Amino acid sequence: MQPLTMAKLVWCGALASLAFAQQPNPLPSFEVTSVKSVTAGGRLGPAPACSGGTYRASNQLLSASFWYAYDIQPFRLANMPEWSRTREAIFDIEGKPQSAVSDSQCRVMVQSLLADRFKLVSHRESRVTSVYALVVGKDGAKMRKADENSTVNQVKVNGVPAYGGEKGWPISQLADFLSRGFPGTQIIDK
């Protein structure tokens, strides 16, 4: 098996450019929302998610809610203020709909919440940027398939169990994780 290597590519595609301004909010919205600034330090909470239509981002960077709402990787987000990625921008955000909604409907409702509470507006544009691809080297892959019966968390980052890694990660998830860890960098599974 061979180690994964990275090859540089050029990617041209849509980026979401975000700005803070007043704009009418025609999107469907949550019935009840709560946005609280978190001042305590410590580890960030789990990734934002919708469960039964209820959106939760606990002890999470505000930028993580942007990534969730627009279903984009951090490298595709342009013109986002630096403060939104710092410890000063950690929030507990919750949104509850009137009735259960799908994940895609929940994302639209989070967009509405961000527009309402943070005066966020967005537009899409195309840009050319560098991309790295995870590819199998000439000697084959040296990674092993996750053991489906194991109770041990098999994905660790700097020795700490990674979210969503209980039974291992597909390479596409590793590429996504690496992209999120290096702002301005796109890493894809090839």
Side-chain angles (χ1 to χ4, degrees):
M1 293 189 158
Q2 166 177 0
L4 293 173
T5 57
M6 292 173 61
K8 193 170 184 177
L9 305 173
V10 176
W11 177 85
C12 182
L15 284 144
S17 181
L18 300 176
F20 292 83
Q22 296 254 341
Q23 175 178 323
N25 191 5
L27 301 173
S29 58
F30 293 108
E31 183 175 31
V32 178
T33 61
S34 170
V35 176
K36 297 176 187 171
S37 181
V38 177
T39 55
R43 298 175 81 184
L44 293 176
C50 245
S51 177
T54 298
Y55 175 75
R56 283 191 184 85
S58 301
N59 200 37
Q60 193 55 255
L61 290 169
L62 182 59
S63 57
S65 287
F66 298 154
W67 302 333
Y68 176 84
Y70 291 92
D71 196 18
I72 59 173
Q73 294 173 322
F75 86 96
R76 291 189 179 182
L77 195 55
N79 302 331
M80 199 160 134
E82 282 302 313
W83 67 264
S84 66
R85 296 182 180 123
T86 67
R87 286 276 178 199
E88 287 77 42
I90 296 178
F91 292 88
D92 285 340
I93 301 175
E94 186 170 324
K96 295 182 180 181
Q98 197 167 16
S99 59
V101 296
S102 69
D103 188 62
S104 60
Q105 291 169 318
C106 187
R107 288 178 192 276
V108 172
M109 294 171 114
V110 174
Q111 291 174 23
S112 178
L113 183 151
L114 294 171
D116 181 50
R117 294 295 186 97
F118 297 97
K119 308 306 178 209
L120 170 75
V121 294
S122 69
H123 73 273
R124 298 196 183 269
E125 61 186 56
S126 293
R127 291 189 183 178
V128 175
T129 184
S130 296
V131 174
Y132 294 92
L134 291 175
V135 297
V136 177
K138 62 182 175 183
D139 295 331
K142 292 193 178 191
M143 300 176 101
R144 67 181 195 279
K145 186 173 171 109
D147 179 6
E148 293 295 322
N149 299 320
S150 176
T151 57
V152 177
N153 189 313
Q154 298 181 11
V155 178
K156 294 186 179 181
V157 178
N158 293 332
V160 178
Y163 290 110
E166 294 81 20
K167 298 293 181 188
W169 278 354
I171 297 301
S172 59
Q173 189 173 351
L174 174 63
D176 181 62
F177 174 81
L178 292 172
S179 290
R180 291 178 189 275
F182 300 98
T185 303
Q186 162 73 16
I187 301 171
I188 58 174
D189 172 19
K190 282 289 183 181

